[in-house]
């Protein structure tokens, strides 16, 4: 596929990195040559310096032969204009835009007759939804859903004394109540992926991805984690676009305090919120945090636009007694470095957003994609199409499918029923199949396996 990515920021760079190894031709456009040069040095991509909304720049980038345009620059206006130009002047089949302002998220405005955006991504909304899930599961490092919320996958850290720690995975079934089934989709040990089977022994400190029907996931979590008290009180550092949206999302269900360093912004956001308390001050001010009872907070969310400030504020909140802290961190190297230390969760906005983008880019019939472990792994929800003659998977047992190292079928959803599959589970047309990939270079092989083929060929 020939893909144009407009904007070489965190989202554009993460998307290019995710797609470049999958036989795609990627061209990146940005006005700043520095990030383009850095990406060209480590990825097999073409780069063009210029304004991505200009037809002449798009033409130089080869838009005439593009199959997909993804506009993720920092400017909503540039992204909209680029999609309009790509549709009306160059006939690009699919156009995706990142839009921060809710004013632009109007179906009529985005329709083919106007800005011609096929899919609009709002990063702040994605992050807000994601954080809400993490608060719902305070034990989790990552929470993602599939099949319209019927299936939940949770990443947790196994702890000393957990029921399964020191035991083989097959022992999990002995502890689960009748009618409750689950799958350990992957284990990461010292940053290395382990393909689990029934004999794999879980160790304390392992990062374990559990998958189950959403109604059963809390029961399953008890096997690996001490269940923490539900979150009631939380503090948010930063009242910018992300912080204010998260506060608005949570204020009716939790006791929320927001700390904002800019007095004028604090006053403005206070007028938008109904129940949350907004404080003008620095989140790195020890006196302020103690005065506002940081030790009594269940969770602290550092959501400013400054990575270093978020790291410092979250670390301070943890030292002062806050039970769990999260820091929004744009730089991937920082997120890898701090998580697991004083900071419980280092959250990359780009990795939260990229799943939605990949859902619309993957070449198989993909209903949902989630980027996991800051891009190191991926989980896909694929819709099975065709029949036994036109499909490589329909009418076949899982143990009859070709083995793809690093990829495993973790769940099957059939007519609303969640099935935790075993080797003899048969795949049927219409199934939604959740596949966990610990090795991203094999995603193209997974997509190919699930894509319908020419019905003239038989796979009997």
């Amino acid at each position: 596929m020939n893909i144009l990515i407009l904007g070489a920021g965190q989202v554009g760079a993460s998307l290019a990195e995710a797609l470049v190894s999958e036989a795609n031709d990627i061209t990146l456009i940005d006005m700043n040559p520095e990030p383009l040069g850095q990406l060209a040095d480590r990825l097999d991509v073409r780069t063009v310096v210029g304004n991505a909304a200009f037809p002449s720049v798009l033409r130089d980038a080869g838009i005439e032969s593009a199959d997909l345009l993804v506009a993720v620059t920092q400017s909503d206006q540039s992204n909209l204009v680029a999609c309009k130009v790509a549709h009306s002047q160059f006939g690009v089949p699919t156009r995706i835009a990142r839009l921060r302002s809710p004013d632009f998220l109007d179906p009529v405005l985005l329709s083919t007759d106007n800005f011609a955006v096929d899919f609009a991504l709002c990063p702040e909304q994605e992050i807000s939804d994601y954080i809400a899930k993490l608060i719902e599961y305070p034990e989790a490092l990552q929470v993602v859903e599939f099949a319209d919320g019927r299936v939940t996958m949770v990443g947790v850290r196994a702890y000393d004394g957990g029921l399964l720690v020191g035991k083989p995975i097959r022992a999990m079934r002995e502890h689960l109540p009748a009618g409750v089934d689950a799958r350990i989709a992957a284990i990461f040990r010292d940053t290395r992926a382990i393909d689990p089977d029934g004999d794999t022994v879980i160790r304390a400190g392992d990062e374990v991805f559990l998958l189950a029907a959403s109604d059963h996931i809390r029961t399953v979590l008890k096997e690996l984690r001490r269940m923490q008290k539900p979150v009631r009180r939380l503090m948010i550092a930063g009242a910018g676009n992300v912080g204010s949206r998260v506060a608005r999302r949570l204020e009716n269900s939790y006791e929320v305090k927001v700390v904002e360093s800019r007095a004028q912004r604090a006053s403005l956001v206070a007028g938008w919120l109904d129940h949350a308390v907004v404080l003008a001050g620095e989140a790195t001010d020890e006196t302020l945090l103690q005065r506002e009872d940081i030790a009594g907070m269940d969770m602290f969310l550092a959501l400013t636009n400054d990575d270093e400030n978020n790291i410092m504020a979250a670390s301070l909140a943890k030292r002062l007694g806050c039970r769990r802290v999260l820091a929004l961190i744009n730089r991937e190297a920082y997120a890898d470095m701090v998580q697991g230390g004083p900071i419980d969760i280092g959250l990359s906005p780009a990795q939260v957003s990229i799943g939605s983008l990949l859902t619309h880019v993957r070449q198989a019939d993909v209903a949902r994609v989630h980027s996991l472990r800051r891009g190191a792994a991926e989980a896909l929800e694929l819709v099975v199409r065709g029949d036994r003659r036109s499909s490589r998977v329909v009418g076949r047992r899982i143990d009859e499918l070709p083995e793809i190292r690093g990829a495993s079928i973790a769940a099957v959803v059939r007519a609303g029923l969640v099935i935790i599959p075993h080797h003899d589970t048969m795949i049927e047309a219409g199934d939604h199949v959740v596949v966990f990939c610990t090795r991203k270079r094999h995603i193209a092989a997974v997509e190919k396996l699930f894509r319908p083929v020419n019905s003239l060929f038989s796979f009997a």
Side-chain angles (χ1 to χ4, degrees):
M1 186 184 294
N2 192 342
I3 303 171
L4 258 60
I5 300 175
L6 317 184
Q10 288 293 324
V11 174
S14 297
L15 183 61
E17 192 167 1
L19 296 174
V20 75
S21 62
E22 301 170 23
N24 295 301
D25 293 322
I26 310 291
T27 302
L28 279 152
I29 305 175
D30 199 282
M31 295 182 69
N32 186 352
E34 185 176 346
L36 290 177
Q38 293 172 354
L39 287 168
D41 286 343
R42 62 187 181 88
L43 301 177
D44 183 18
V45 296
R46 180 171 173 248
T47 61
V48 174
V49 178
N51 189 319
F54 288 3
S56 59
V57 175
L58 293 171
R59 188 177 288 108
D60 289 343
I63 194 171
E64 289 96 340
S65 59
D67 303 300
L68 170 68
L69 179 138
V70 184
V72 288
T73 74
Q74 298 293 326
S75 166
D76 286 1
Q77 292 87 339
S78 293
N79 294 338
L80 288 168
V81 170
C83 287
K84 178 64 175 177
V85 170
H87 170 68
S88 61
Q89 192 165 342
F90 298 106
V92 177
T94 307
R95 302 152 309 275
I96 297 173
R98 177 174 67 174
L99 300 171
R100 285 189 162 88
S101 172
D103 288 345
F104 291 127
L105 299 175
D106 179 346
V108 175
L109 196 63
L110 302 179
S111 67
T112 305
D113 291 335
N114 291 302
F115 283 111
V117 176
D118 294 306
F119 171 68
L121 169 73
C122 178
E124 288 79 8
Q125 185 61 50
E126 296 269 338
I127 293 167
S128 176
D129 293 344
Y130 190 89
I131 289 174
K133 274 295 171 190
L134 287 172
I135 292 171
E136 188 179 338
Y137 295 90
E139 309 84 5
L141 300 172
Q142 193 159 7
V143 182
V144 296
E145 292 182 335
F146 302 94
D148 296 323
R150 294 185 179 90
V151 178
T152 298
M153 179 181 286
V154 179
V156 295
R157 186 85 59 192
Y159 74 98
D160 243 335
L163 290 176
L164 268 188
V165 172
K167 299 182 180 68
I169 286 175
R170 67 175 75 255
M172 182 168 66
R173 302 193 72 177
E174 300 170 8
H175 300 288
L176 294 177
V180 175
D181 204 355
R183 169 64 50 82
I184 292 181
I187 297 173
F188 291 86
R189 181 174 298 159
D190 299 326
T191 72
R192 181 173 59 89
I194 295 172
D195 296 326
D197 59 31
D199 296 321
T200 302
V201 175
I202 296 174
R203 299 179 188 172
D206 283 352
E207 192 172 333
V208 181
F209 281 87
L210 287 162
L211 182 142
S214 297
D215 293 341
H216 299 155
I217 194 66
R218 290 195 182 277
T219 301
V220 177
L221 276 173
K222 292 177 183 177
E223 295 298 294
L224 283 166
R225 288 288 307 176
R226 294 184 185 91
M227 300 300 287
Q228 295 190 10
K229 295 177 183 177
V231 172
R232 294 183 302 105
R233 305 179 68 209
L234 56 92
M235 183 179 288
I236 297 171
N241 289 335
V242 174
S244 60
R245 187 182 287 263
V246 170
R248 200 157 43 229
R249 166 75 182 267
L250 301 177
E251 66 172 342
N252 291 321
S253 304
Y254 304 93
E255 183 182 324
V256 178
K257 290 183 179 181
V258 182
V259 181
E260 169 55 48
S261 60
R262 298 164 294 174
Q264 187 174 359
R265 177 70 181 180
S267 177
L268 179 66
V269 172
W272 297 346
L273 301 173
D274 297 321
H275 305 295
V277 175
V278 182
L279 308 165
E282 295 287 348
T284 52
D285 182 343
E286 185 172 344
T287 302
L288 183 150
L289 294 184
Q290 289 178 324
R291 187 179 70 232
E292 297 302 328
D293 190 26
I294 188 62
M297 294 291 167
D298 299 308
M299 201 158 185
F300 179 89
L301 310 174
L303 306 179
T304 76
N305 292 322
D306 186 289
D307 285 0
E308 289 83 359
N309 195 59
N310 288 341
I311 292 170
M312 293 296 293
S315 299
L316 177 61
K318 189 73 169 183
R319 182 172 67 80
L320 294 177
C322 185
R323 181 152 56 94
R324 195 158 177 83
V325 301
L326 175 150
L328 201 65
I329 301 174
N330 285 288
R331 296 187 190 179
E332 188 176 329
Y334 281 10
D336 290 334
M337 179 179 66
V338 303
Q339 182 164 298
I343 294 173
D344 297 296
I345 302 172
L347 184 61
S348 165
Q351 292 303 327
V352 173
S353 301
I354 198 172
S356 295
L357 290 173
L358 291 174
T359 300
H360 295 267
V361 173
R362 297 293 184 211
Q363 296 184 45
D365 196 341
V366 177
R368 197 71 180 95
V369 176
H370 290 292
S371 180
L372 305 171
R373 297 196 81 250
R374 294 179 292 283
E378 198 167 292
L380 302 89
E381 178 189 342
L382 299 126
V383 184
V384 178
R385 306 293 188 195
D387 53 28
R388 189 172 175 87
R389 290 180 60 82
S390 64
S391 168
R392 299 176 177 89
V393 299
V394 172
R396 292 166 179 81
R397 301 177 357 157
I398 287 177
D399 60 8
E400 294 176 321
L401 302 180
E403 182 181 359
I404 301 174
R405 187 166 174 77
S408 62
I409 294 178
V412 176
V413 180
R414 181 175 299 155
L417 176 67
V418 178
I419 301 168
I420 302 300
H422 300 283
H423 68 93
D424 57 351
T425 301
M426 191 82 72
I427 304 296
E428 298 180 5
D431 285 351
H432 284 233
V433 177
V434 178
V435 180
F436 195 106
C437 296
T438 57
R439 295 170 179 85
K440 293 188 64 176
R441 63 181 179 275
H442 296 313
I443 289 172
V446 172
E447 291 183 331
K448 181 179 179 181
L449 178 64
F450 280 85
R451 273 202 306 269
V453 296
N454 193 319
S455 60
L456 293 174
F457 293 93
S458 172
F459 294 88

